[in-house]
Amino acid sequence: GDSVTQMEGPVTLSEEAFLTINCTYTATGYPSLFWYVQYPGEGLQLLLKATKADDKGSNKGFEATYRKETTSFHLEKGSVQVSDSAVYFCALSSGAQKLVFGQGTRLTINP
Amino acid sequence: ETGVTQTPRHLVMGMTNKKSLKCEQHLGHNAMYWYKQSAKKPLELMFVYNFKEQTENNSVPSRFSPECPNSSHLFLHLHTLQPEDSALYLCASSINPRDNFYGYTFGSGTRLTVV
């Protein structure tokens, strides 16, 4: 079945550091790919998405490129802020009954 | 405010109590979902409803009983829960379960503590 694998956390960085959170997937067909973010005490919010190969999703300084050849959708940000501290979830949807989530990566940014 | 509203935000209940969680959306979505999020465990999909009909139940114990009276409202009725049921319960909605363009919209969750 479809699955998503994220890099293990937690990840701790200093403010203004470069961020990469790896995400790879296994899916039949041509899935859409998503990154969700969960701030403390809140539900999940859609951060960005890409619906076909080579698409780049971007929002709030975060970017991720849909790489079909490597089945990856890594999340990147050039300069993180303390306010980016949250849990990040990679997910895919391939037209099946449900969105498939990765296990989540907790990110902490220190001032 | 995401468009999906969950109440209450926090709930403490005894193992013999009966309580209900409520979820409401006015986004025009037809599919609604209950997820359980426990510490250090992946998100667990519990139930899926599409046009008020339950289309998925992921082997959830019968002490959790969902109800979907219409496409805008979803309830999770709780009775005789166990301490291990303590978790954040998230509701989500989407245009339909097969939508792979817009994704899901989540509520802020109900933090449930069973004592």
Side-chain angles (χ1 to χ4, degrees):
Chain A
D2 297 349
S3 66
V4 175
T5 302
Q6 291 181 232
M7 67 185 289
E8 296 251 348
V11 174
T12 302
L13 296 172
S14 298
E15 208 165 21
E16 299 184 3
F18 184 85
L19 168 71
T20 300
I21 300 179
N22 290 338
C23 171
T24 57
Y25 67 90
T26 302
T28 54
Y30 303 96
S32 293
L33 301 172
F34 305 84
W35 276 101
Y36 283 82
V37 58
Q38 184 178 31
Y39 297 105
E42 297 296 325
L44 279 68
Q45 301 173 27
L46 180 63
L47 180 60
L48 54 83
K49 66 179 182 184
T51 57
K52 60 183 188 296
D54 300 325
D55 267 2
K56 177 185 283 187
S58 62
N59 187 24
K60 300 181 181 180
F62 289 89
E63 292 183 340
T65 300
Y66 189 161
R67 301 285 188 202
K68 189 168 183 292
E69 63 277 10
T70 54
T71 62
S72 65
F73 193 55
H74 304 323
L75 183 68
E76 296 181 334
K77 186 174 185 182
S79 177
V80 292
Q81 306 301 313
V82 172
S83 57
D84 294 326
S85 298
V87 181
Y88 292 81
F89 292 89
C90 185
L92 72 81
S93 174
S94 61
Q97 273 280 333
K98 57 187 183 289
L99 208 56
V100 177
F101 286 92
Q103 71 270 35
T105 301
R106 182 174 299 278
L107 173 67
T108 301
I109 307 300
N110 294 320
Chain B
E1 182 58 52
T2 66
V4 177
T5 303
Q6 289 188 244
T7 54
R9 289 295 305 270
H10 301 273
L11 178 62
V12 179
M13 60 185 289
M15 288 189 284
T16 58
N17 291 159
K18 289 185 179 181
K19 296 287 185 183
S20 296
L21 311 184
K22 180 181 177 182
C23 177
E24 184 173 358
Q25 59 90 8
H26 296 287
L27 300 170
H29 291 172
N30 297 306
M32 297 187 78
Y33 313 81
W34 279 117
Y35 281 86
K36 177 183 178 182
Q37 187 177 31
S38 305
K40 301 181 180 179
K41 293 178 70 175
L43 276 170
E44 301 174 55
L45 177 66
M46 301 174 73
F47 302 104
V48 179
Y49 278 83
N50 188 31
F51 289 99
K52 305 187 300 179
E53 299 299 318
Q54 187 180 121
T55 58
E56 189 161 339
N57 175 342
N58 282 325
S59 303
V60 180
S62 59
R63 57 186 184 270
F64 295 91
S65 174
E67 178 190 3
C68 189
N70 53 61
S71 293
S72 298
H73 295 86
L74 183 65
F75 296 89
L76 188 63
H77 303 300
L78 315 171
H79 65 98
T80 59
L81 294 192
Q82 305 298 311
E84 60 265 27
D85 297 322
S86 299
L88 181 67
Y89 288 85
L90 292 166
C91 174
S93 69
S94 67
I95 293 173
N96 62 66
R98 293 181 181 275
D99 168 55
N100 61 0
F101 188 81
Y102 294 105
Y104 294 2
T105 301
F106 282 83
S108 297
T110 295
R111 173 69 63 188
L112 173 67
T113 303
V114 181
V115 297

